[in-house]
């Protein structure tokens, strides 16, 4: 094999490795940025839902459906005891049959941080 051919193959492999490394690094960076943006957007929406929520929890089932429709997302409203009080996917009669959410990790994290889940 000629020296020029060996140099070309070596340089090609080095360039391919460098490009592959750059692609992997960019993918991780962009993925992390996208996940942070999505999480931030969801948290902002949750805060808006919390502000728009009526004080009377008996009105939460209708509020969940309306707020979910407005933001285009599923909204589940859970009281401090973990009981589901409103959900876009369940009518008021079905809410009583839903499992208690107090033991769920997102409910626990929301109680500790004070941030909506």
């Amino acid at each position: 094999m000629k020296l020029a051919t060996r140099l070309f193959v070596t340089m090609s492999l080095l360039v391919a490795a460098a490009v592959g490394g750059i692609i992997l690094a960019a993918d991780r960076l962009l993925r992390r940025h996208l996940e942070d943006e999505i999480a931030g957007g969801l948290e902002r929406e949750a805060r808006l839902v919390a502000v728009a929520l009526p004080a009377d929890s008996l009105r939460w089932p209708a509020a969940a459906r309306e707020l979910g429709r407005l933001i285009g997302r599923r909204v589940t409203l859970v009281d401090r005891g973990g009981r589901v009080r409103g959900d876009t996917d369940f009518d008021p009669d079905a809410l009583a049959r839903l499992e208690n959410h107090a033991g769920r990790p997102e409910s626990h994290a929301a109680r500790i941080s004070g941030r909506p889940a």
Side-chain angles (χ1 to χ4, degrees):
M1 189 183 286
K2 292 183 180 180
L3 178 63
T5 305
R6 284 188 292 201
L7 284 173
F8 176 76
V9 169
T10 302
M11 292 304 293
S12 296
L13 290 173
L14 287 173
V15 168
V19 168
I22 290 170
I23 289 172
L24 287 174
D27 178 64
R28 287 187 182 143
L29 180 68
L30 291 173
R31 183 181 311 271
R32 190 175 327 125
H33 178 71
L34 180 61
E35 288 171 352
D36 289 346
E37 282 295 314
I38 291 170
L42 289 171
E43 186 173 336
R44 286 188 296 277
E45 288 176 2
R47 288 184 187 283
L48 284 172
V49 166
V51 167
L53 208 57
D56 181 6
S57 63
L58 294 176
R59 295 177 45 208
W60 285 12
R65 286 190 300 279
E66 179 62 16
L67 291 167
R69 185 189 65 75
L70 289 171
I71 64 174
R73 299 206 186 272
R74 180 177 179 188
V75 173
T76 303
L77 303 173
V78 180
D79 66 16
R80 293 191 188 278
R83 197 171 105 205
V84 178
R85 302 299 301 267
D87 193 296
T88 53
D89 292 350
F90 295 95
D91 61 36
D93 295 331
L95 294 176
R97 295 188 299 273
L98 296 177
E99 70 173 283
N100 189 294
H101 285 41
R104 290 190 172 193
E106 63 271 21
S107 294
H108 181 69
R111 279 191 306 277
I112 289 174
S113 70
R115 294 173 24 195

